Amino acid sequence: MTASPGRIGIGLAAVARPAYITSGRGRDLGQQRSVADLRARTWSVLDAAHAAGIRYVDVARSYGRAEEFLAGWLAARPGTDDVQVGSKWGYRYVGGWRTEADVHEIKEHSADAFAAQSAESLALLGDRLGVYHVHSATLETGVLADAGVHRAMAALRDRGVRVGISTSGPVQSDAVRRALEVRVDGEPLFTSFQSTWNLLEPSVGPALAEAAQAGARVIVKEPVANGRLAPGGDDGSPGATGAAAAAARAGVPVDQLAIAVALAQPWAPTVLSGAVTPAQVASNVAAAALAVPEDLEALAEDPREYWTRRSRRAWR
């Protein structure tokens, strides 16, 4: 099957702050990473994405100045009223715009954090904010059992913003299924799920299919595994090397293969590109026209191995 470019979204995690865990940042960004440099780069990526048909933009409070950069881009282009924005609360950016910071973000899933960060998001994005996720919700933080947080998020839901969770880690499925159970005033609270799913880590797929069956929106993040499934990102692991070989046999770049496979999942209406250059945007969008090869299931890693490997990646 093939897909429409409109099913691809653009995430600003890797372009709106000077350091992140994605491979190839030296090649893609160079040393020009001032606020002004990355604002200009973010705007060029957004221009390319919009021209290519992308209409969903993913940001977060912890993505450096992603919300600020996006708000400025939207204000400078008043005709882009067809763009939907999704953001997240639960992490704060504390890197001080330094690539070598000891800590880049801090997690807090309290009602106070939601109140503070949602106010900041709304101040920047206003009624352009269409989706608001708990950032990397897990059972361990307690956010999926916190009635105070749920009530506060329901107030945002009742204003017309879809609320949900993003997930990370080897037990993403547990968080998705627990979130599906949460009700406020008799109605489901969490109706958007943004989870990591890719050729190397597809374990959350059945839970996301359940979410879609329940009427929730599903958004796939990290389809190229933070660069491991992008050109030049093969880290020598069997899965990444196998994906690169499969892409070579298909005659396409490995990022296109990875995104095409994510788009082929019937429960995944939106798949995020993490492009940081217009050329990467073009390559990622081209995935929508690809037919997907079969027999790629063997590329999957053990989820705990995948997430251990990811946790060891340096902020670059």
Side-chain angles (χ1 to χ4, degrees), residues 20-281:
Y20 192 49
I21 63 173
T22 304
S23 303
R25 290 178 66 76
R27 176 190 67 240
D28 296 334
L29 298 182
Q31 299 305 309
Q32 305 305 310
R33 305 192 196 184
S34 69
V35 173
D37 289 329
L38 290 188
R39 178 185 290 109
R41 181 176 288 273
T42 298
W43 284 28
S44 70
V45 166
L46 289 169
D47 283 339
H50 193 265
I54 290 174
R55 295 296 182 267
Y56 183 80
V57 183
D58 172 70
V59 292
R61 289 304 305 154
S62 63
Y63 292 173
R65 299 197 179 193
E67 289 185 337
E68 175 190 329
F69 292 171
L70 174 58
W73 181 81
L74 289 167
R77 292 156 178 78
T80 55
D81 55 0
D82 55 350
V83 172
Q84 184 182 44
V85 176
S87 191
K88 296 179 284 296
W89 72 276
Y91 276 91
R92 289 185 293 115
Y93 176 68
V94 296
W97 214 257
R98 293 180 294 115
T99 57
E100 303 301 326
D102 292 333
V103 179
H104 294 271
E105 54 189 17
I106 294 176
K107 189 174 188 175
E108 182 184 350
H109 282 168
S110 68
D112 287 345
F114 171 75
Q117 292 199 303
S118 61
E120 293 165 343
S121 295
L122 288 166
L124 283 167
L125 299 169
D127 60 7
R128 303 303 292 265
L129 183 65
V131 184
Y132 208 50
H133 293 115
V134 183
H135 200 161
S136 293
T138 64
L139 273 60
E140 289 74 17
T141 68
V143 70
L144 296 176
D146 190 325
V149 170
H150 299 169
R151 175 59 60 184
M153 294 192 73
L156 192 60
R157 175 198 67 185
D158 295 343
R159 291 176 51 180
V161 178
R162 182 188 290 262
V163 300
I165 67 169
S166 77
T167 68
S168 297
V171 290
Q172 294 182 95
S173 297
D174 292 349
V176 170
R177 291 183 171 120
R178 176 67 185 90
L180 284 170
E181 297 172 354
V182 177
R183 300 286 190 275
V184 176
D185 296 330
E187 297 295 327
L189 177 62
F190 299 119
T191 59
S192 181
F193 293 86
Q194 180 177 312
S195 299
T196 295
W197 187 98
N198 56 57
L199 283 167
L200 307 180
E201 209 317 45
S203 65
V204 74
L208 294 178
E210 293 169 23
Q213 181 65 31
R217 178 179 185 176
V218 172
I219 302 167
V220 168
K221 64 184 176 77
E222 301 181 358
V224 299
N226 301 114
R228 293 177 65 197
L229 298 176
D234 183 351
D235 59 0
S237 62
T241 299
R249 289 194 298 272
V252 299
V254 67
D255 62 307
Q256 291 183 19
L257 174 68
I259 292 175
V261 173
L263 287 168
Q265 306 311 305
W267 40 259
T270 305
V271 175
L272 294 180
S273 161
V276 300
T277 68
Q280 289 176 356
V281 171

